Amino acid sequence: MKFIIDLIEDVREQIGNHEEYVVTAGLLKADENDSNKLIYAGEAPVNIASINDDEKQLNFKIDTSDMRVTIGALIPPLLILDMDAMMYELRMDVNTQYRNMEIVGFGKNDEEKRYILFIKI
């Protein structure tokens, strides 16, 4: 389980808060032969990021729009949150079948300026 504070720290360490990086979802699937292994199954751009105070979550959403969440738009509002909100869980809605998915890790692609939020499906 990852929290807002983990995201902020990883973005700072991995990409130095570079604003132009686009946030994407990296999809991981369990290996059919070894359930302890995860296989990369592709990625998709994240279109929306919003805080849900009722559920204590930062929700990311993938839809069919042309909108893209960038680090420059995502991080500054998170930095001014109080300590309670820093402990909100990170969750992702991929589609109607895969909703409220737990974010299990982070990554980056420097060549294509992408910051990746990994989810397991």
Side-chain angles (χ1 to χ4, degrees):
M1 181 178 313
K2 298 293 183 186
F3 302 94
I4 291 176
I5 191 82
D6 300 324
L7 173 67
I8 291 170
E9 184 177 318
D10 192 73
V11 166
R12 184 181 307 123
E13 289 176 4
Q14 295 297 319
I15 62 171
N17 291 341
H18 285 284
E19 295 181 359
E20 68 276 3
Y21 276 67
V22 174
V23 180
T24 61
L27 308 176
L28 302 173
K29 288 185 177 180
D31 187 329
E32 293 176 6
N33 301 320
D34 183 352
S35 61
N36 292 327
K37 290 183 181 178
L38 296 174
I39 298 172
Y40 176 75
E43 59 185 71
V46 173
N47 306 106
I48 299 168
S50 62
I51 291 181
N52 181 333
D53 289 312
D54 295 334
E55 298 289 326
K56 298 190 181 308
Q57 295 176 345
L58 172 56
N59 299 110
F60 297 94
K61 185 175 182 178
I62 296 172
D63 61 22
T64 58
S65 74
D66 291 333
M67 294 176 53
R68 300 291 183 259
V69 175
T70 64
I71 292 298
L74 176 65
I75 295 299
L78 299 180
L79 293 174
I80 60 173
L81 295 174
D82 62 33
M83 273 316 279
D84 288 340
M86 290 283 183
M87 296 308 295
Y88 284 11
E89 289 181 68
L90 304 178
R91 294 292 181 156
M92 174 109 35
D93 289 342
V94 178
N95 56 32
T96 55
Q97 182 181 0
Y98 297 107
R99 300 186 55 78
N100 202 29
M101 305 294 296
E102 180 180 343
I103 293 173
V104 297
F106 308 115
K108 66 176 179 168
N109 180 325
D110 289 326
E111 292 174 3
E112 296 182 20
K113 303 259 187 248
R114 291 193 310 237
Y115 184 77
I116 305 165
L117 305 173
F118 287 107
I119 59 172
K120 180 182 168 187
I121 57 172

PDB file of all heavy atoms in Angstrom, residues 11 15-23 68-76 79 113-115:
ATOM      1  N   VAL A  11       8.897  10.886  -6.133  1.00  0.00           N
ATOM      2  CA  VAL A  11       9.008  11.845  -7.243  1.00  0.00           C
ATOM      3  C   VAL A  11      10.237  12.728  -7.041  1.00  0.00           C
ATOM      4  O   VAL A  11      10.997  12.986  -7.974  1.00  0.00           O
ATOM      5  CB  VAL A  11       7.718  12.690  -7.378  1.00  0.00           C
ATOM      6  CG1 VAL A  11       7.937  13.900  -8.269  1.00  0.00           C
ATOM      7  CG2 VAL A  11       6.585  11.840  -7.911  1.00  0.00           C
ATOM      8  N   ILE A  15      12.901  11.693  -9.992  1.00  0.00           N
ATOM      9  CA  ILE A  15      12.912  12.593 -11.158  1.00  0.00           C
ATOM     10  C   ILE A  15      13.131  14.061 -10.768  1.00  0.00           C
ATOM     11  O   ILE A  15      13.023  14.940 -11.624  1.00  0.00           O
ATOM     12  CB  ILE A  15      11.625  12.451 -12.001  1.00  0.00           C
ATOM     13  CG1 ILE A  15      10.378  12.824 -11.204  1.00  0.00           C
ATOM     14  CG2 ILE A  15      11.513  11.051 -12.574  1.00  0.00           C
ATOM     15  CD1 ILE A  15       9.114  12.907 -12.039  1.00  0.00           C
ATOM     16  N   GLY A  16      13.416  14.322  -9.510  1.00  0.00           N
ATOM     17  CA  GLY A  16      13.701  15.693  -9.088  1.00  0.00           C
ATOM     18  C   GLY A  16      12.551  16.658  -9.328  1.00  0.00           C
ATOM     19  O   GLY A  16      12.773  17.825  -9.621  1.00  0.00           O
ATOM     20  N   ASN A  17      11.314  16.163  -9.221  1.00  0.00           N
ATOM     21  CA  ASN A  17      10.112  16.990  -9.409  1.00  0.00           C
ATOM     22  C   ASN A  17      10.035  17.648 -10.787  1.00  0.00           C
ATOM     23  O   ASN A  17       9.412  18.701 -10.931  1.00  0.00           O
ATOM     24  CB  ASN A  17       9.985  18.050  -8.319  1.00  0.00           C
ATOM     25  CG  ASN A  17       9.666  17.467  -6.961  1.00  0.00           C
ATOM     26  OD1 ASN A  17       9.196  16.344  -6.847  1.00  0.00           O
ATOM     27  ND2 ASN A  17       9.928  18.218  -5.919  1.00  0.00           N
ATOM     28  N   HIS A  18      10.635  17.055 -11.801  1.00  0.00           N
ATOM     29  CA  HIS A  18      10.560  17.630 -13.146  1.00  0.00           C
ATOM     30  C   HIS A  18       9.109  17.697 -13.598  1.00  0.00           C
ATOM     31  O   HIS A  18       8.434  16.675 -13.724  1.00  0.00           O
ATOM     32  CB  HIS A  18      11.396  16.832 -14.147  1.00  0.00           C
ATOM     33  CG  HIS A  18      12.856  17.066 -13.990  1.00  0.00           C
ATOM     34  ND1 HIS A  18      13.475  18.208 -14.438  1.00  0.00           N
ATOM     35  CD2 HIS A  18      13.819  16.315 -13.408  1.00  0.00           C
ATOM     36  CE1 HIS A  18      14.764  18.155 -14.150  1.00  0.00           C
ATOM     37  NE2 HIS A  18      14.999  17.010 -13.520  1.00  0.00           N
ATOM     38  N   GLU A  19       8.636  18.888 -13.850  1.00  0.00           N
ATOM     39  CA  GLU A  19       7.225  19.155 -14.112  1.00  0.00           C
ATOM     40  C   GLU A  19       6.688  18.540 -15.391  1.00  0.00           C
ATOM     41  O   GLU A  19       5.502  18.253 -15.498  1.00  0.00           O
ATOM     42  CB  GLU A  19       6.972  20.664 -14.134  1.00  0.00           C
ATOM     43  CG  GLU A  19       7.218  21.327 -12.808  1.00  0.00           C
ATOM     44  CD  GLU A  19       6.938  22.818 -12.829  1.00  0.00           C
ATOM     45  OE1 GLU A  19       6.561  23.350 -13.891  1.00  0.00           O
ATOM     46  OE2 GLU A  19       7.087  23.433 -11.767  1.00  0.00           O
ATOM     47  N   GLU A  20       7.555  18.329 -16.382  1.00  0.00           N
ATOM     48  CA  GLU A  20       7.064  17.874 -17.686  1.00  0.00           C
ATOM     49  C   GLU A  20       6.756  16.375 -17.737  1.00  0.00           C
ATOM     50  O   GLU A  20       6.139  15.902 -18.694  1.00  0.00           O
ATOM     51  CB  GLU A  20       8.059  18.234 -18.793  1.00  0.00           C
ATOM     52  CG  GLU A  20       9.371  17.488 -18.739  1.00  0.00           C
ATOM     53  CD  GLU A  20      10.418  18.083 -17.790  1.00  0.00           C
ATOM     54  OE1 GLU A  20      10.133  19.066 -17.092  1.00  0.00           O
ATOM     55  OE2 GLU A  20      11.523  17.533 -17.746  1.00  0.00           O
ATOM     56  N   TYR A  21       7.162  15.616 -16.730  1.00  0.00           N
ATOM     57  CA  TYR A  21       6.876  14.181 -16.733  1.00  0.00           C
ATOM     58  C   TYR A  21       5.367  13.950 -16.696  1.00  0.00           C
ATOM     59  O   TYR A  21       4.644  14.570 -15.923  1.00  0.00           O
ATOM     60  CB  TYR A  21       7.524  13.483 -15.536  1.00  0.00           C
ATOM     61  CG  TYR A  21       8.966  13.108 -15.758  1.00  0.00           C
ATOM     62  CD1 TYR A  21       9.948  14.075 -15.901  1.00  0.00           C
ATOM     63  CD2 TYR A  21       9.354  11.777 -15.822  1.00  0.00           C
ATOM     64  CE1 TYR A  21      11.274  13.741 -16.099  1.00  0.00           C
ATOM     65  CE2 TYR A  21      10.678  11.420 -16.028  1.00  0.00           C
ATOM     66  CZ  TYR A  21      11.629  12.407 -16.159  1.00  0.00           C
ATOM     67  OH  TYR A  21      12.941  12.065 -16.366  1.00  0.00           O
ATOM     68  N   VAL A  22       4.895  13.019 -17.536  1.00  0.00           N
ATOM     69  CA  VAL A  22       3.484  12.644 -17.584  1.00  0.00           C
ATOM     70  C   VAL A  22       3.289  11.419 -16.694  1.00  0.00           C
ATOM     71  O   VAL A  22       4.080  10.474 -16.744  1.00  0.00           O
ATOM     72  CB  VAL A  22       3.052  12.334 -19.037  1.00  0.00           C
ATOM     73  CG1 VAL A  22       1.633  11.791 -19.088  1.00  0.00           C
ATOM     74  CG2 VAL A  22       3.183  13.570 -19.900  1.00  0.00           C
ATOM     75  N   VAL A  23       2.242  11.429 -15.897  1.00  0.00           N
ATOM     76  CA  VAL A  23       1.947  10.310 -15.010  1.00  0.00           C
ATOM     77  C   VAL A  23       1.217   9.228 -15.805  1.00  0.00           C
ATOM     78  O   VAL A  23       0.236   9.512 -16.493  1.00  0.00           O
ATOM     79  CB  VAL A  23       1.092  10.770 -13.807  1.00  0.00           C
ATOM     80  CG1 VAL A  23       0.785   9.601 -12.886  1.00  0.00           C
ATOM     81  CG2 VAL A  23       1.795  11.897 -13.048  1.00  0.00           C
ATOM     82  N   ARG A  68      -4.009  14.818 -19.661  1.00  0.00           N
ATOM     83  CA  ARG A  68      -2.874  14.100 -19.099  1.00  0.00           C
ATOM     84  C   ARG A  68      -2.501  14.753 -17.777  1.00  0.00           C
ATOM     85  O   ARG A  68      -2.423  15.977 -17.678  1.00  0.00           O
ATOM     86  CB  ARG A  68      -1.655  14.140 -20.029  1.00  0.00           C
ATOM     87  CG  ARG A  68      -1.877  13.529 -21.409  1.00  0.00           C
ATOM     88  CD  ARG A  68      -2.037  12.019 -21.318  1.00  0.00           C
ATOM     89  NE  ARG A  68      -2.173  11.406 -22.622  1.00  0.00           N
ATOM     90  CZ  ARG A  68      -3.315  11.013 -23.162  1.00  0.00           C
ATOM     91  NH1 ARG A  68      -4.443  11.212 -22.525  1.00  0.00           N
ATOM     92  NH2 ARG A  68      -3.340  10.430 -24.341  1.00  0.00           N
ATOM     93  N   VAL A  69      -2.237  13.924 -16.765  1.00  0.00           N
ATOM     94  CA  VAL A  69      -1.763  14.433 -15.482  1.00  0.00           C
ATOM     95  C   VAL A  69      -0.243  14.525 -15.573  1.00  0.00           C
ATOM     96  O   VAL A  69       0.422  13.550 -15.921  1.00  0.00           O
ATOM     97  CB  VAL A  69      -2.180  13.498 -14.325  1.00  0.00           C
ATOM     98  CG1 VAL A  69      -1.574  13.965 -13.013  1.00  0.00           C
ATOM     99  CG2 VAL A  69      -3.699  13.426 -14.219  1.00  0.00           C
ATOM    100  N   THR A  70       0.285  15.703 -15.265  1.00  0.00           N
ATOM    101  CA  THR A  70       1.735  15.893 -15.253  1.00  0.00           C
ATOM    102  C   THR A  70       2.198  16.069 -13.808  1.00  0.00           C
ATOM    103  O   THR A  70       1.412  16.423 -12.922  1.00  0.00           O
ATOM    104  CB  THR A  70       2.153  17.130 -16.057  1.00  0.00           C
ATOM    105  OG1 THR A  70       1.601  18.293 -15.431  1.00  0.00           O
ATOM    106  CG2 THR A  70       1.707  17.038 -17.516  1.00  0.00           C
ATOM    107  N   ILE A  71       3.472  15.844 -13.600  1.00  0.00           N
ATOM    108  CA  ILE A  71       4.048  16.050 -12.272  1.00  0.00           C
ATOM    109  C   ILE A  71       3.892  17.512 -11.871  1.00  0.00           C
ATOM    110  O   ILE A  71       3.604  17.825 -10.719  1.00  0.00           O
ATOM    111  CB  ILE A  71       5.530  15.615 -12.252  1.00  0.00           C
ATOM    112  CG1 ILE A  71       5.630  14.098 -12.417  1.00  0.00           C
ATOM    113  CG2 ILE A  71       6.233  16.087 -10.984  1.00  0.00           C
ATOM    114  CD1 ILE A  71       4.971  13.267 -11.328  1.00  0.00           C
ATOM    115  N   GLY A  72       4.028  18.429 -12.825  1.00  0.00           N
ATOM    116  CA  GLY A  72       3.884  19.856 -12.552  1.00  0.00           C
ATOM    117  C   GLY A  72       2.503  20.234 -12.050  1.00  0.00           C
ATOM    118  O   GLY A  72       2.350  21.170 -11.262  1.00  0.00           O
ATOM    119  N   ALA A  73       1.475  19.517 -12.479  1.00  0.00           N
ATOM    120  CA  ALA A  73       0.110  19.774 -12.010  1.00  0.00           C
ATOM    121  C   ALA A  73      -0.209  18.985 -10.743  1.00  0.00           C
ATOM    122  O   ALA A  73      -0.990  19.435  -9.912  1.00  0.00           O
ATOM    123  CB  ALA A  73      -0.891  19.424 -13.104  1.00  0.00           C
ATOM    124  N   LEU A  74       0.388  17.814 -10.582  1.00  0.00           N
ATOM    125  CA  LEU A  74       0.051  16.916  -9.478  1.00  0.00           C
ATOM    126  C   LEU A  74       0.712  17.301  -8.150  1.00  0.00           C
ATOM    127  O   LEU A  74       0.044  17.372  -7.122  1.00  0.00           O
ATOM    128  CB  LEU A  74       0.453  15.479  -9.850  1.00  0.00           C
ATOM    129  CG  LEU A  74       0.255  14.415  -8.780  1.00  0.00           C
ATOM    130  CD1 LEU A  74      -1.224  14.237  -8.457  1.00  0.00           C
ATOM    131  CD2 LEU A  74       0.884  13.101  -9.211  1.00  0.00           C
ATOM    132  N   ILE A  75       2.007  17.525  -8.163  1.00  0.00           N
ATOM    133  CA  ILE A  75       2.764  17.632  -6.916  1.00  0.00           C
ATOM    134  C   ILE A  75       2.515  18.921  -6.123  1.00  0.00           C
ATOM    135  O   ILE A  75       2.315  18.847  -4.904  1.00  0.00           O
ATOM    136  CB  ILE A  75       4.272  17.421  -7.181  1.00  0.00           C
ATOM    137  CG1 ILE A  75       4.521  15.987  -7.678  1.00  0.00           C
ATOM    138  CG2 ILE A  75       5.110  17.713  -5.949  1.00  0.00           C
ATOM    139  CD1 ILE A  75       4.132  14.878  -6.709  1.00  0.00           C
ATOM    140  N   PRO A  76       2.514  20.123  -6.718  1.00  0.00           N
ATOM    141  CA  PRO A  76       2.368  21.335  -5.890  1.00  0.00           C
ATOM    142  C   PRO A  76       1.168  21.330  -4.943  1.00  0.00           C
ATOM    143  O   PRO A  76       1.334  21.664  -3.752  1.00  0.00           O
ATOM    144  CB  PRO A  76       2.300  22.466  -6.925  1.00  0.00           C
ATOM    145  CG  PRO A  76       3.121  21.940  -8.069  1.00  0.00           C
ATOM    146  CD  PRO A  76       2.790  20.463  -8.117  1.00  0.00           C
ATOM    147  N   LEU A  79       1.887  19.123  -1.853  1.00  0.00           N
ATOM    148  CA  LEU A  79       2.887  19.596  -0.906  1.00  0.00           C
ATOM    149  C   LEU A  79       2.299  20.453   0.211  1.00  0.00           C
ATOM    150  O   LEU A  79       2.912  20.578   1.270  1.00  0.00           O
ATOM    151  CB  LEU A  79       3.985  20.386  -1.634  1.00  0.00           C
ATOM    152  CG  LEU A  79       4.863  19.566  -2.580  1.00  0.00           C
ATOM    153  CD1 LEU A  79       5.793  20.480  -3.347  1.00  0.00           C
ATOM    154  CD2 LEU A  79       5.639  18.497  -1.817  1.00  0.00           C
ATOM    155  N   LYS A 113       9.992  10.716 -20.633  1.00  0.00           N
ATOM    156  CA  LYS A 113       9.508  11.645 -19.597  1.00  0.00           C
ATOM    157  C   LYS A 113       8.179  11.180 -19.008  1.00  0.00           C
ATOM    158  O   LYS A 113       7.187  11.901 -18.991  1.00  0.00           O
ATOM    159  CB  LYS A 113       9.387  13.068 -20.145  1.00  0.00           C
ATOM    160  CG  LYS A 113      10.677  13.611 -20.707  1.00  0.00           C
ATOM    161  CD  LYS A 113      11.316  14.534 -19.732  1.00  0.00           C
ATOM    162  CE  LYS A 113      12.524  15.221 -20.317  1.00  0.00           C
ATOM    163  NZ  LYS A 113      13.746  14.823 -19.744  1.00  0.00           N
ATOM    164  N   ARG A 114       8.182   9.921 -18.521  1.00  0.00           N
ATOM    165  CA  ARG A 114       6.991   9.364 -17.894  1.00  0.00           C
ATOM    166  C   ARG A 114       7.326   8.938 -16.469  1.00  0.00           C
ATOM    167  O   ARG A 114       8.354   8.314 -16.227  1.00  0.00           O
ATOM    168  CB  ARG A 114       6.473   8.169 -18.677  1.00  0.00           C
ATOM    169  CG  ARG A 114       5.905   8.541 -20.017  1.00  0.00           C
ATOM    170  CD  ARG A 114       5.131   7.415 -20.637  1.00  0.00           C
ATOM    171  NE  ARG A 114       5.887   6.174 -20.633  1.00  0.00           N
ATOM    172  CZ  ARG A 114       6.178   5.474 -21.704  1.00  0.00           C
ATOM    173  NH1 ARG A 114       5.778   5.873 -22.884  1.00  0.00           N
ATOM    174  NH2 ARG A 114       6.853   4.362 -21.623  1.00  0.00           N
ATOM    175  N   TYR A 115       6.406   9.247 -15.556  1.00  0.00           N
ATOM    176  CA  TYR A 115       6.474   8.754 -14.188  1.00  0.00           C
ATOM    177  C   TYR A 115       5.373   7.704 -14.065  1.00  0.00           C
ATOM    178  O   TYR A 115       4.223   7.975 -14.404  1.00  0.00           O
ATOM    179  CB  TYR A 115       6.273   9.889 -13.180  1.00  0.00           C
ATOM    180  CG  TYR A 115       6.430   9.410 -11.756  1.00  0.00           C
ATOM    181  CD1 TYR A 115       7.684   9.182 -11.223  1.00  0.00           C
ATOM    182  CD2 TYR A 115       5.312   9.145 -10.979  1.00  0.00           C
ATOM    183  CE1 TYR A 115       7.841   8.696  -9.932  1.00  0.00           C
ATOM    184  CE2 TYR A 115       5.457   8.672  -9.683  1.00  0.00           C
ATOM    185  CZ  TYR A 115       6.728   8.448  -9.168  1.00  0.00           C
ATOM    186  OH  TYR A 115       6.855   7.967  -7.888  1.00  0.00           O
TER     187      TYR A 115
END
